[in-house]
Amino acid sequence: GSVVLHLLVEAVSLAWRSEVDRGGMLPSIGFTSLSPRDVDQKGGLPEQMEFTGNSLVVLGDGSVCRRRAGGMFSRGNDLFARIPPGEVERRSGKLAPGYTMRAGQLLTVTWRPGSLKITADGDTVLDYADSPEEHFALVDTPPPGPVYAVVDCCCAVSRIRIP
């Protein structure tokens, strides 16, 4: 099966770069199998989105991150502490050159077995696929149960919502 999330960019801040070619970044967008209630019981979302339990997340630079453990990872008071190996799996993704974030754009995030794709008004912004050469799948198959969106409205995108 696949999981699809639609998000409407309502506002873009002029204080941040919105062009990917000039260092602009997407909002961080992803999925978790933890319900909002589970997240609240674990103390809320962590300081960095990729530390969310049972999650698959695309960060603003196009990096794809996976955390398979169910709990939230925290560095505590040391924000520069190293992340232990295996806590968060991360691979570089590539944002489409020439993409510029604009208010009114409809972002669509599609998670299929082995791939994760983001489009803006139908144009591909990120198309990540697990490589057959990798010894383990990062994206693999969406879980069979409910999946919840996690979105960090950050960088150029100052307001976003589910339409």
Side-chain angles (χ1 to χ4, degrees), residues 89-151:
E89 301 163 44
R90 182 179 182 148
R91 298 217 184 107
S92 296
K94 180 116 173 86
L95 298 176
Y99 171 64
T100 299
M101 288 163 275
R102 289 186 287 282
Q105 283 181 329
L106 180 67
L107 300 179
T108 302
V109 184
T110 306
W111 177 10
R112 290 190 173 99
S115 71
L116 190 69
K117 184 174 186 174
I118 300 177
T119 61
D121 293 334
D123 295 327
T124 300
V125 175
L126 178 128
D127 195 358
Y128 175 88
D130 282 329
S131 168
E133 289 83 41
E134 297 289 341
H135 59 277
F136 64 91
L138 181 70
V139 178
D140 59 36
T141 303
V147 177
Y148 304 90
V150 285
V151 179

Short mmCIF file of all heavy atoms in Angstrom, two decimals, residues 89-151:
data_model
loop_
_atom_site.label_atom_id
_atom_site.label_comp_id
_atom_site.label_asym_id
_atom_site.label_seq_id
_atom_site.Cartn_x
_atom_site.Cartn_y
_atom_site.Cartn_z
N GLU A 89 18.56 6.63 11.13
CA GLU A 89 19.19 6.31 9.85
C GLU A 89 18.93 7.50 8.93
O GLU A 89 17.82 8.03 8.88
CB GLU A 89 18.55 5.06 9.26
CG GLU A 89 18.68 3.84 10.16
CD GLU A 89 17.70 2.76 9.74
OE1 GLU A 89 17.57 2.49 8.54
OE2 GLU A 89 17.05 2.20 10.64
N ARG A 90 19.96 7.93 8.22
CA ARG A 90 19.82 9.12 7.38
C ARG A 90 20.54 8.93 6.05
O ARG A 90 21.65 8.44 6.01
CB ARG A 90 20.41 10.32 8.12
CG ARG A 90 20.29 11.62 7.39
CD ARG A 90 20.88 12.74 8.23
NE ARG A 90 20.74 14.00 7.55
CZ ARG A 90 20.56 15.15 8.15
NH1 ARG A 90 20.51 15.21 9.45
NH2 ARG A 90 20.46 16.25 7.46
N ARG A 91 19.85 9.32 4.99
CA ARG A 91 20.45 9.30 3.66
C ARG A 91 20.15 10.63 2.98
O ARG A 91 19.10 11.23 3.20
CB ARG A 91 19.88 8.16 2.82
CG ARG A 91 20.17 6.81 3.45
CD ARG A 91 20.47 5.75 2.42
NE ARG A 91 20.66 4.48 3.09
CZ ARG A 91 19.79 3.49 3.06
NH1 ARG A 91 18.67 3.59 2.38
NH2 ARG A 91 20.04 2.36 3.70
N SER A 92 21.07 11.03 2.14
CA SER A 92 20.89 12.29 1.41
C SER A 92 19.87 12.12 0.31
O SER A 92 19.90 11.14 -0.43
CB SER A 92 22.21 12.75 0.80
OG SER A 92 23.13 13.04 1.81
N GLY A 93 18.99 13.08 0.22
CA GLY A 93 18.05 13.16 -0.88
C GLY A 93 18.39 14.41 -1.67
O GLY A 93 19.16 15.24 -1.21
N LYS A 94 17.86 14.56 -2.83
CA LYS A 94 18.18 15.72 -3.67
C LYS A 94 16.91 16.45 -4.02
O LYS A 94 15.99 15.87 -4.59
CB LYS A 94 18.90 15.26 -4.93
CG LYS A 94 19.29 16.36 -5.86
CD LYS A 94 20.79 16.44 -5.98
CE LYS A 94 21.21 17.43 -7.04
NZ LYS A 94 21.32 18.77 -6.59
N LEU A 95 16.86 17.74 -3.66
CA LEU A 95 15.73 18.57 -4.04
C LEU A 95 15.89 19.00 -5.49
O LEU A 95 17.01 19.20 -5.97
CB LEU A 95 15.65 19.80 -3.13
CG LEU A 95 15.42 19.51 -1.65
CD1 LEU A 95 15.46 20.80 -0.86
CD2 LEU A 95 14.09 18.81 -1.43
N ALA A 96 14.77 19.14 -6.19
CA ALA A 96 14.80 19.52 -7.60
C ALA A 96 15.36 20.92 -7.78
O ALA A 96 14.93 21.85 -7.10
CB ALA A 96 13.39 19.44 -8.19
N PRO A 97 16.33 21.08 -8.66
CA PRO A 97 16.86 22.42 -8.92
C PRO A 97 15.77 23.31 -9.52
O PRO A 97 14.90 22.84 -10.25
CB PRO A 97 18.00 22.19 -9.90
CG PRO A 97 17.82 20.83 -10.44
CD PRO A 97 16.96 20.07 -9.48
N GLY A 98 15.83 24.58 -9.18
CA GLY A 98 14.87 25.53 -9.72
C GLY A 98 13.57 25.64 -8.95
O GLY A 98 12.74 26.49 -9.24
N TYR A 99 13.38 24.78 -7.93
CA TYR A 99 12.13 24.84 -7.17
C TYR A 99 12.12 26.05 -6.23
O TYR A 99 13.10 26.32 -5.54
CB TYR A 99 11.92 23.55 -6.36
CG TYR A 99 10.77 23.66 -5.38
CD1 TYR A 99 9.47 23.83 -5.84
CD2 TYR A 99 10.99 23.64 -4.02
CE1 TYR A 99 8.42 23.96 -4.96
CE2 TYR A 99 9.94 23.75 -3.12
CZ TYR A 99 8.65 23.92 -3.60
OH TYR A 99 7.61 24.06 -2.73
N THR A 100 11.01 26.77 -6.21
CA THR A 100 10.81 27.91 -5.32
C THR A 100 9.49 27.71 -4.58
O THR A 100 8.46 27.46 -5.21
CB THR A 100 10.77 29.23 -6.10
OG1 THR A 100 12.02 29.40 -6.79
CG2 THR A 100 10.55 30.41 -5.18
N MET A 101 9.53 27.82 -3.25
CA MET A 101 8.32 27.70 -2.45
C MET A 101 7.48 28.97 -2.58
O MET A 101 8.02 30.07 -2.53
CB MET A 101 8.68 27.47 -0.98
CG MET A 101 9.24 26.10 -0.73
SD MET A 101 10.10 25.99 0.84
CE MET A 101 11.71 26.59 0.33
N ARG A 102 6.18 28.78 -2.76
CA ARG A 102 5.27 29.91 -2.90
C ARG A 102 3.98 29.64 -2.15
O ARG A 102 3.53 28.49 -2.07
CB ARG A 102 4.94 30.15 -4.38
CG ARG A 102 6.08 30.71 -5.20
CD ARG A 102 5.65 31.05 -6.61
NE ARG A 102 5.44 29.89 -7.45
CZ ARG A 102 6.41 29.18 -8.02
NH1 ARG A 102 7.65 29.49 -7.82
NH2 ARG A 102 6.13 28.14 -8.77
N ALA A 103 3.38 30.68 -1.63
CA ALA A 103 2.06 30.57 -1.00
C ALA A 103 1.07 30.07 -2.04
O ALA A 103 1.15 30.45 -3.21
CB ALA A 103 1.62 31.91 -0.43
N GLY A 104 0.19 29.20 -1.62
CA GLY A 104 -0.83 28.65 -2.50
C GLY A 104 -0.45 27.31 -3.12
O GLY A 104 -1.29 26.66 -3.74
N GLN A 105 0.81 26.89 -2.95
CA GLN A 105 1.22 25.61 -3.52
C GLN A 105 0.62 24.45 -2.73
O GLN A 105 0.54 24.50 -1.51
CB GLN A 105 2.75 25.46 -3.48
CG GLN A 105 3.46 26.22 -4.54
CD GLN A 105 4.96 26.02 -4.46
OE1 GLN A 105 5.51 25.81 -3.39
NE2 GLN A 105 5.61 26.10 -5.60
N LEU A 106 0.25 23.41 -3.46
CA LEU A 106 -0.21 22.17 -2.84
C LEU A 106 0.95 21.19 -2.87
O LEU A 106 1.41 20.80 -3.95
CB LEU A 106 -1.42 21.60 -3.58
CG LEU A 106 -1.97 20.30 -2.99
CD1 LEU A 106 -2.59 20.56 -1.62
CD2 LEU A 106 -3.00 19.68 -3.93
N LEU A 107 1.45 20.83 -1.69
CA LEU A 107 2.50 19.81 -1.58
C LEU A 107 1.83 18.46 -1.39
O LEU A 107 0.92 18.33 -0.58
CB LEU A 107 3.42 20.10 -0.40
CG LEU A 107 4.17 21.43 -0.41
CD1 LEU A 107 5.02 21.56 0.86
CD2 LEU A 107 5.05 21.54 -1.65
N THR A 108 2.29 17.46 -2.12
CA THR A 108 1.79 16.10 -1.98
C THR A 108 2.98 15.21 -1.66
O THR A 108 3.96 15.20 -2.39
CB THR A 108 1.10 15.62 -3.27
OG1 THR A 108 0.02 16.52 -3.57
CG2 THR A 108 0.56 14.21 -3.11
N VAL A 109 2.86 14.49 -0.54
CA VAL A 109 3.91 13.57 -0.10
C VAL A 109 3.35 12.17 -0.27
O VAL A 109 2.30 11.85 0.29
CB VAL A 109 4.30 13.82 1.37
CG1 VAL A 109 5.46 12.93 1.77
CG2 VAL A 109 4.62 15.29 1.61
N THR A 110 4.06 11.33 -1.04
CA THR A 110 3.60 9.97 -1.29
C THR A 110 4.68 8.99 -0.85
O THR A 110 5.81 9.05 -1.32
CB THR A 110 3.29 9.76 -2.79
OG1 THR A 110 2.38 10.77 -3.23
CG2 THR A 110 2.71 8.38 -3.04
N TRP A 111 4.30 8.10 0.07
CA TRP A 111 5.19 7.05 0.57
C TRP A 111 4.71 5.72 0.01
O TRP A 111 3.61 5.27 0.32
CB TRP A 111 5.18 7.04 2.09
CG TRP A 111 5.99 5.98 2.75
CD1 TRP A 111 6.89 5.12 2.18
CD2 TRP A 111 5.98 5.67 4.14
NE1 TRP A 111 7.43 4.30 3.13
CE2 TRP A 111 6.90 4.61 4.35
CE3 TRP A 111 5.30 6.17 5.23
CZ2 TRP A 111 7.13 4.06 5.60
CZ3 TRP A 111 5.53 5.62 6.48
CH2 TRP A 111 6.46 4.58 6.65
N ARG A 112 5.52 5.14 -0.86
CA ARG A 112 5.24 3.82 -1.43
C ARG A 112 6.36 2.89 -0.99
O ARG A 112 7.43 3.36 -0.59
CB ARG A 112 5.22 3.90 -2.95
CG ARG A 112 4.03 4.65 -3.50
CD ARG A 112 3.94 4.49 -5.01
NE ARG A 112 2.72 5.07 -5.50
CZ ARG A 112 2.62 6.28 -6.04
NH1 ARG A 112 3.70 7.02 -6.18
NH2 ARG A 112 1.47 6.73 -6.43
N PRO A 113 6.16 1.59 -1.08
CA PRO A 113 7.25 0.68 -0.71
C PRO A 113 8.54 1.04 -1.45
O PRO A 113 8.58 1.06 -2.68
CB PRO A 113 6.73 -0.70 -1.14
CG PRO A 113 5.23 -0.56 -1.06
CD PRO A 113 4.95 0.86 -1.49
N GLY A 114 9.56 1.41 -0.70
CA GLY A 114 10.87 1.72 -1.26
C GLY A 114 11.05 3.11 -1.81
O GLY A 114 12.13 3.45 -2.30
N SER A 115 10.02 3.97 -1.75
CA SER A 115 10.18 5.31 -2.31
C SER A 115 9.36 6.35 -1.55
O SER A 115 8.35 6.04 -0.92
CB SER A 115 9.82 5.34 -3.79
OG SER A 115 8.42 5.21 -3.97
N LEU A 116 9.83 7.58 -1.64
CA LEU A 116 9.16 8.73 -1.04
C LEU A 116 9.26 9.88 -2.03
O LEU A 116 10.35 10.19 -2.52
CB LEU A 116 9.85 9.10 0.28
CG LEU A 116 9.14 10.12 1.15
CD1 LEU A 116 7.87 9.51 1.74
CD2 LEU A 116 10.05 10.55 2.28
N LYS A 117 8.13 10.47 -2.35
CA LYS A 117 8.10 11.52 -3.37
C LYS A 117 7.33 12.72 -2.85
O LYS A 117 6.29 12.56 -2.21
CB LYS A 117 7.45 10.99 -4.64
CG LYS A 117 7.46 11.96 -5.79
CD LYS A 117 6.93 11.29 -7.05
CE LYS A 117 7.07 12.18 -8.26
NZ LYS A 117 6.68 11.49 -9.48
N ILE A 118 7.85 13.93 -3.13
CA ILE A 118 7.15 15.17 -2.80
C ILE A 118 6.97 15.94 -4.10
O ILE A 118 7.93 16.14 -4.86
CB ILE A 118 7.93 16.02 -1.79
CG1 ILE A 118 8.12 15.26 -0.48
CG2 ILE A 118 7.20 17.35 -1.53
CD1 ILE A 118 8.95 16.00 0.56
N THR A 119 5.74 16.38 -4.35
CA THR A 119 5.47 17.24 -5.50
C THR A 119 4.86 18.55 -5.00
O THR A 119 4.25 18.60 -3.94
CB THR A 119 4.51 16.58 -6.51
OG1 THR A 119 3.25 16.33 -5.86
CG2 THR A 119 5.07 15.28 -7.06
N ALA A 120 5.05 19.60 -5.79
CA ALA A 120 4.44 20.90 -5.53
C ALA A 120 3.62 21.24 -6.76
O ALA A 120 4.18 21.40 -7.86
CB ALA A 120 5.49 21.96 -5.27
N ASP A 121 2.31 21.29 -6.62
CA ASP A 121 1.41 21.52 -7.74
C ASP A 121 1.70 20.56 -8.89
O ASP A 121 1.66 20.93 -10.06
CB ASP A 121 1.49 22.97 -8.22
CG ASP A 121 0.95 23.95 -7.18
OD1 ASP A 121 0.10 23.54 -6.37
OD2 ASP A 121 1.39 25.11 -7.19
N GLY A 122 2.05 19.32 -8.56
CA GLY A 122 2.28 18.28 -9.56
C GLY A 122 3.71 18.16 -10.05
O GLY A 122 4.07 17.18 -10.67
N ASP A 123 4.56 19.16 -9.78
CA ASP A 123 5.97 19.11 -10.20
C ASP A 123 6.80 18.44 -9.11
O ASP A 123 6.67 18.77 -7.93
CB ASP A 123 6.51 20.51 -10.47
CG ASP A 123 5.83 21.19 -11.65
OD1 ASP A 123 5.45 20.47 -12.59
OD2 ASP A 123 5.67 22.42 -11.60
N THR A 124 7.68 17.54 -9.50
CA THR A 124 8.49 16.81 -8.53
C THR A 124 9.50 17.72 -7.85
O THR A 124 10.25 18.43 -8.51
CB THR A 124 9.22 15.64 -9.21
OG1 THR A 124 8.24 14.76 -9.77
CG2 THR A 124 10.09 14.88 -8.23
N VAL A 125 9.49 17.69 -6.52
CA VAL A 125 10.44 18.45 -5.70
C VAL A 125 11.50 17.51 -5.14
O VAL A 125 12.67 17.85 -5.05
CB VAL A 125 9.69 19.17 -4.54
CG1 VAL A 125 10.66 19.85 -3.61
CG2 VAL A 125 8.68 20.16 -5.10
N LEU A 126 11.09 16.30 -4.75
CA LEU A 126 12.01 15.28 -4.24
C LEU A 126 11.48 13.92 -4.67
O LEU A 126 10.29 13.66 -4.56
CB LEU A 126 12.11 15.35 -2.71
CG LEU A 126 13.02 14.28 -2.11
CD1 LEU A 126 14.04 14.91 -1.19
CD2 LEU A 126 12.22 13.24 -1.35
N ASP A 127 12.39 13.08 -5.15
CA ASP A 127 12.01 11.72 -5.54
C ASP A 127 13.11 10.80 -5.02
O ASP A 127 14.15 10.65 -5.65
CB ASP A 127 11.89 11.61 -7.06
CG ASP A 127 11.15 10.36 -7.51
OD1 ASP A 127 10.77 9.55 -6.63
OD2 ASP A 127 10.94 10.20 -8.72
N TYR A 128 12.87 10.23 -3.84
CA TYR A 128 13.86 9.37 -3.20
C TYR A 128 13.43 7.91 -3.35
O TYR A 128 12.27 7.57 -3.12
CB TYR A 128 13.99 9.70 -1.70
CG TYR A 128 14.92 8.75 -1.00
CD1 TYR A 128 16.28 9.00 -0.96
CD2 TYR A 128 14.45 7.57 -0.43
CE1 TYR A 128 17.15 8.10 -0.36
CE2 TYR A 128 15.31 6.67 0.17
CZ TYR A 128 16.65 6.94 0.20
OH TYR A 128 17.52 6.05 0.78
N ALA A 129 14.38 7.08 -3.71
CA ALA A 129 14.11 5.63 -3.79
C ALA A 129 15.27 4.89 -3.15
O ALA A 129 16.44 5.29 -3.31
CB ALA A 129 13.94 5.20 -5.23
N ASP A 130 14.95 3.85 -2.41
CA ASP A 130 15.99 3.00 -1.85
C ASP A 130 16.80 2.40 -2.99
O ASP A 130 16.24 1.98 -4.01
CB ASP A 130 15.38 1.86 -1.01
CG ASP A 130 14.93 2.32 0.36
OD1 ASP A 130 15.54 3.26 0.92
OD2 ASP A 130 13.97 1.74 0.89
N SER A 131 18.10 2.35 -2.83
CA SER A 131 18.99 1.80 -3.83
C SER A 131 19.10 0.29 -3.64
O SER A 131 19.24 -0.19 -2.51
CB SER A 131 20.37 2.45 -3.71
OG SER A 131 21.31 1.75 -4.47
N PRO A 132 19.07 -0.47 -4.72
CA PRO A 132 19.24 -1.93 -4.59
C PRO A 132 20.61 -2.30 -4.03
O PRO A 132 20.78 -3.38 -3.48
CB PRO A 132 19.06 -2.46 -6.00
CG PRO A 132 18.85 -1.31 -6.89
CD PRO A 132 18.83 -0.06 -6.09
N GLU A 133 21.59 -1.39 -4.13
CA GLU A 133 22.94 -1.66 -3.60
C GLU A 133 23.01 -1.53 -2.08
O GLU A 133 23.94 -2.01 -1.45
CB GLU A 133 23.97 -0.70 -4.23
CG GLU A 133 24.27 -0.96 -5.69
CD GLU A 133 23.23 -0.32 -6.61
OE1 GLU A 133 22.82 0.83 -6.34
OE2 GLU A 133 22.84 -0.97 -7.58
N GLU A 134 22.04 -0.83 -1.48
CA GLU A 134 22.05 -0.66 -0.02
C GLU A 134 21.76 -1.99 0.65
O GLU A 134 20.95 -2.77 0.16
CB GLU A 134 21.00 0.37 0.41
CG GLU A 134 21.24 1.76 -0.13
CD GLU A 134 22.42 2.46 0.52
OE1 GLU A 134 22.85 2.06 1.62
OE2 GLU A 134 22.93 3.41 -0.08
N HIS A 135 22.39 -2.21 1.80
CA HIS A 135 22.17 -3.49 2.48
C HIS A 135 20.91 -3.50 3.35
O HIS A 135 20.53 -4.50 3.89
CB HIS A 135 23.40 -3.86 3.32
CG HIS A 135 23.77 -2.85 4.35
ND1 HIS A 135 24.51 -1.74 4.05
CD2 HIS A 135 23.50 -2.78 5.65
CE1 HIS A 135 24.68 -1.02 5.14
NE2 HIS A 135 24.08 -1.62 6.12
N PHE A 136 20.26 -2.35 3.48
CA PHE A 136 18.97 -2.33 4.16
C PHE A 136 18.12 -1.21 3.56
O PHE A 136 18.62 -0.23 3.05
CB PHE A 136 19.12 -2.12 5.68
CG PHE A 136 19.72 -0.79 6.05
CD1 PHE A 136 18.93 0.31 6.29
CD2 PHE A 136 21.10 -0.65 6.14
CE1 PHE A 136 19.49 1.53 6.62
CE2 PHE A 136 21.67 0.56 6.49
CZ PHE A 136 20.86 1.67 6.72
N ALA A 137 16.81 -1.39 3.60
CA ALA A 137 15.89 -0.39 3.07
C ALA A 137 15.64 0.68 4.11
O ALA A 137 15.43 0.39 5.28
CB ALA A 137 14.58 -1.05 2.68
N LEU A 138 15.69 1.93 3.70
CA LEU A 138 15.39 3.04 4.60
C LEU A 138 13.89 3.32 4.57
O LEU A 138 13.25 3.42 5.59
CB LEU A 138 16.17 4.28 4.17
CG LEU A 138 15.97 5.51 5.05
CD1 LEU A 138 16.64 5.29 6.40
CD2 LEU A 138 16.56 6.74 4.38
N VAL A 139 13.35 3.42 3.38
CA VAL A 139 11.94 3.79 3.23
C VAL A 139 11.04 2.57 3.40
O VAL A 139 10.00 2.65 4.02
CB VAL A 139 11.71 4.48 1.87
CG1 VAL A 139 10.25 4.82 1.69
CG2 VAL A 139 12.56 5.74 1.77
N ASP A 140 11.41 1.45 2.89
CA ASP A 140 10.66 0.19 2.87
C ASP A 140 9.15 0.39 2.73
O ASP A 140 8.70 1.28 2.05
CB ASP A 140 11.06 -0.77 4.00
CG ASP A 140 10.89 -0.24 5.41
OD1 ASP A 140 9.93 0.48 5.66
OD2 ASP A 140 11.73 -0.57 6.27
N THR A 141 8.35 -0.41 3.38
CA THR A 141 6.89 -0.40 3.19
C THR A 141 6.19 0.33 4.32
O THR A 141 6.53 0.12 5.49
CB THR A 141 6.38 -1.85 3.11
OG1 THR A 141 7.07 -2.51 2.06
CG2 THR A 141 4.89 -1.91 2.85
N PRO A 142 5.19 1.18 4.01
CA PRO A 142 4.42 1.82 5.08
C PRO A 142 3.81 0.76 6.00
O PRO A 142 3.43 -0.32 5.54
CB PRO A 142 3.34 2.60 4.34
CG PRO A 142 3.87 2.81 2.96
CD PRO A 142 4.72 1.59 2.69
N PRO A 143 3.71 1.06 7.30
CA PRO A 143 3.13 0.08 8.23
C PRO A 143 1.66 -0.18 7.92
O PRO A 143 0.98 0.66 7.33
CB PRO A 143 3.30 0.74 9.60
CG PRO A 143 3.47 2.19 9.32
CD PRO A 143 4.07 2.30 7.96
N PRO A 144 1.14 -1.34 8.31
CA PRO A 144 -0.23 -1.69 7.98
C PRO A 144 -1.28 -0.89 8.76
O PRO A 144 -2.39 -0.72 8.28
CB PRO A 144 -0.31 -3.18 8.34
CG PRO A 144 0.77 -3.39 9.34
CD PRO A 144 1.85 -2.42 9.01
N GLY A 145 -0.94 -0.39 9.93
CA GLY A 145 -1.91 0.35 10.74
C GLY A 145 -1.95 1.83 10.41
O GLY A 145 -1.41 2.26 9.40
N PRO A 146 -2.56 2.62 11.30
CA PRO A 146 -2.65 4.06 11.06
C PRO A 146 -1.27 4.73 11.02
O PRO A 146 -0.34 4.30 11.70
CB PRO A 146 -3.44 4.58 12.27
CG PRO A 146 -4.00 3.41 12.94
CD PRO A 146 -3.21 2.22 12.53
N VAL A 147 -1.18 5.76 10.21
CA VAL A 147 0.03 6.56 10.09
C VAL A 147 -0.39 8.02 10.23
O VAL A 147 -1.41 8.43 9.68
CB VAL A 147 0.72 6.33 8.72
CG1 VAL A 147 1.93 7.22 8.57
CG2 VAL A 147 1.12 4.88 8.57
N TYR A 148 0.39 8.80 10.98
CA TYR A 148 0.06 10.19 11.27
C TYR A 148 1.12 11.12 10.69
O TYR A 148 2.30 10.78 10.67
CB TYR A 148 -0.03 10.39 12.79
CG TYR A 148 -1.02 9.45 13.43
CD1 TYR A 148 -0.62 8.21 13.89
CD2 TYR A 148 -2.37 9.79 13.53
CE1 TYR A 148 -1.54 7.32 14.45
CE2 TYR A 148 -3.28 8.92 14.09
CZ TYR A 148 -2.86 7.68 14.54
OH TYR A 148 -3.77 6.81 15.09
N ALA A 149 0.69 12.28 10.23
CA ALA A 149 1.62 13.26 9.67
C ALA A 149 2.35 13.99 10.79
O ALA A 149 1.78 14.25 11.85
CB ALA A 149 0.85 14.27 8.82
N VAL A 150 3.63 14.29 10.53
CA VAL A 150 4.39 15.21 11.38
C VAL A 150 4.96 16.27 10.45
O VAL A 150 5.57 15.94 9.43
CB VAL A 150 5.50 14.50 12.20
CG1 VAL A 150 4.91 13.72 13.35
CG2 VAL A 150 6.35 13.59 11.34
N VAL A 151 4.73 17.53 10.77
CA VAL A 151 5.15 18.63 9.92
C VAL A 151 5.76 19.71 10.79
O VAL A 151 5.18 20.10 11.80
CB VAL A 151 3.95 19.22 9.13
CG1 VAL A 151 4.39 20.38 8.25
CG2 VAL A 151 3.27 18.14 8.30
#
